Amino acid sequence: MQLSYGLVKLKTSKKKLRNKVHSMNLVGIDDGNYGCKLTTRKGNDTVSVIVPSLVRKGLMRQRSALDMTNMGGGIESRTFSIDDQIFSTGNVKNDANRAISRSYSSSCENLAVVHNALLSAGLGGKDVAVMTGLPFSYYYQPNGEVNKALVKAKKERFKSEVAMHESADKCANIEKHFVMAQGEAAYFDILVDMSTRRTSSGLVTIGEPRKDILESNVLVLDMGGGTTDVVVVGPNGVIDHARSGSFEHAGYKLIADIESAVRARFEIVANLGRQRYEDALKTGKLKINASRVVDVGDIRKQVVAEHFDSINERANAIVGSLDDIDIVVPVGGTPSFFTDEINAAYSENQVIWTEDAINSNSRGMFKRLYLTMNSK
């Protein structure tokens, strides 16, 4: 089944959508399972913020010796009160309500992480309109229709009363909330070029579709932390739902597998934290402590190969033939582990590596929100 691309009417003619004055701050938020990515604008500059999707119910008990010293350091953690429950975010030891559960998107845990990101972007106490995301197969039903129940549940959760716990700092006020599919948002990111120009009436921000993208069959490979979304979009932005979907295999599984293998080989008992194992996936070196760095290149190679083969097989099962695919766009945080493998697997297609690919969804969400709010 094919459905035409929706919310903002960017047609084959280069229609320019000019901005109107809005008092709200517009924010695209890719609220994923591994990290929460946020894109907004401050003046004429695009600003992106990433916070870990680490959250636990209850108070964060850790404290730093540098807290309240103005010497830097300290624990990057914020605690929120949501519906009379306490949630701690940031540098917390354990995840909660994690990775592949559909309920995470509409949970208090996710809402706490989102507010942590908004505060990190300097939006505390400000009115905001947000566009958040859902994995493609969560947002859409198999027949291509929007899963209204899941979208409604997420929107209802975001209406919850949120306050900083034992702090005078104010949370952002979410005035408007839109939701779109991940992967589809990344397509919008590469489709639309936004620029600010000086006119007789002042500075005007314009969004224009790229002709090469608009006229092509594009495959978006959105590899995140918990899910991988594969989205095929044809000319004029028509989504091919029969060749698009999501599955629960992405960065979390890679990191968990390399951690398990490394800990077994080197008899590591201590919890080194996910960042060191993520770094090991990128470099082939694991820092155990200041004096001990071990080579895990062979383990990395095996883990990367096994996981890419599995992800690629499942992606191909959804997409089918690649013969008509003009452009392949890898986005998200996980493709950086698979650069060589992706280039080899799609050697007969044009592979476009976007700059700062981890923020592609949040940029696309921001662009679509901006043009939606300013096209009326």
Side-chain angles (χ1 to χ4, degrees), residues 178-338:
F178 304 87
V179 183
M180 70 181 301
Q182 295 161 3
E184 184 179 358
Y187 173 80
F188 209 81
D189 178 40
I190 64 168
L191 172 67
V192 178
D193 284 333
M194 295 185 72
S195 60
T196 300
R197 304 174 188 177
R198 186 174 295 280
T199 68
S200 58
S201 57
L203 291 176
V204 176
T205 299
I206 298 171
E208 296 179 283
R210 284 177 49 178
K211 184 178 179 181
D212 61 330
I213 301 298
L214 200 62
E215 295 179 351
S216 297
N217 288 315
V218 179
L219 168 60
V220 177
L221 292 174
D222 178 15
M223 302 180 186
T227 59
T228 292
D229 298 287
V230 290
V231 182
V232 175
V233 186
N236 299 318
V238 178
I239 300 173
D240 190 341
H241 283 267
R243 302 173 70 190
S244 303
S246 311
F247 52 89
E248 285 80 17
H249 192 154
Y252 258 116
K253 289 188 176 181
L254 273 80
I255 294 171
D257 275 9
I258 196 170
E259 177 178 2
S260 178
V262 169
R263 292 183 73 161
R265 175 183 291 185
F266 296 98
E267 299 181 342
I268 299 172
V269 177
N271 180 8
L272 302 181
R274 71 183 193 181
Q275 186 60 53
R276 291 195 187 184
Y277 290 104
E278 181 180 344
D279 292 342
L281 272 172
K282 294 177 180 177
T283 66
K285 305 286 186 182
L286 176 70
K287 180 180 178 181
I288 298 176
N289 58 44
S291 301
R292 189 183 178 198
V293 178
V294 296
D295 188 332
V296 296
D298 60 328
I299 297 176
R300 177 202 175 278
K301 184 177 180 180
Q302 181 179 350
V303 168
V304 166
E306 290 177 353
H307 282 274
F308 180 76
D309 286 347
S310 178
I311 290 173
N312 195 45
E313 181 179 353
R314 296 183 71 174
N316 287 342
I318 294 171
V319 176
S321 173
L322 298 172
D323 291 345
D324 63 333
I325 298 298
D326 300 301
I327 298 170
V328 178
V329 186
V331 299
T334 300
S336 62
F337 304 137
F338 297 138

Side-chain angles (χ1 to χ4, degrees), residues 59-67 74-75 77 79 166:
L59 286 173
M60 207 314 245
R61 298 296 183 184
Q62 282 184 301
R63 292 292 180 266
S64 168
L66 299 183
D67 284 351
I75 300 293
S77 179
T79 303
E166 297 180 347

Side-chain angles (χ1 to χ4, degrees), residues 139-202:
Y139 183 81
Y140 288 111
Q141 298 184 74
N143 64 359
E145 294 182 1
V146 174
N147 187 336
K148 294 180 180 179
L150 193 58
V151 171
K152 181 180 179 181
K154 183 169 190 178
K155 287 185 174 182
E156 287 299 317
R157 172 56 64 200
F158 273 58
K159 294 177 182 178
S160 297
E161 192 75 25
V162 183
M164 292 288 292
H165 180 69
E166 297 180 347
S167 171
D169 293 340
K170 293 184 178 180
C171 294
N173 178 34
I174 300 176
E175 286 277 351
K176 291 183 178 293
H177 181 199
F178 304 87
V179 183
M180 70 181 301
Q182 295 161 3
E184 184 179 358
Y187 173 80
F188 209 81
D189 178 40
I190 64 168
L191 172 67
V192 178
D193 284 333
M194 295 185 72
S195 60
T196 300
R197 304 174 188 177
R198 186 174 295 280
T199 68
S200 58
S201 57

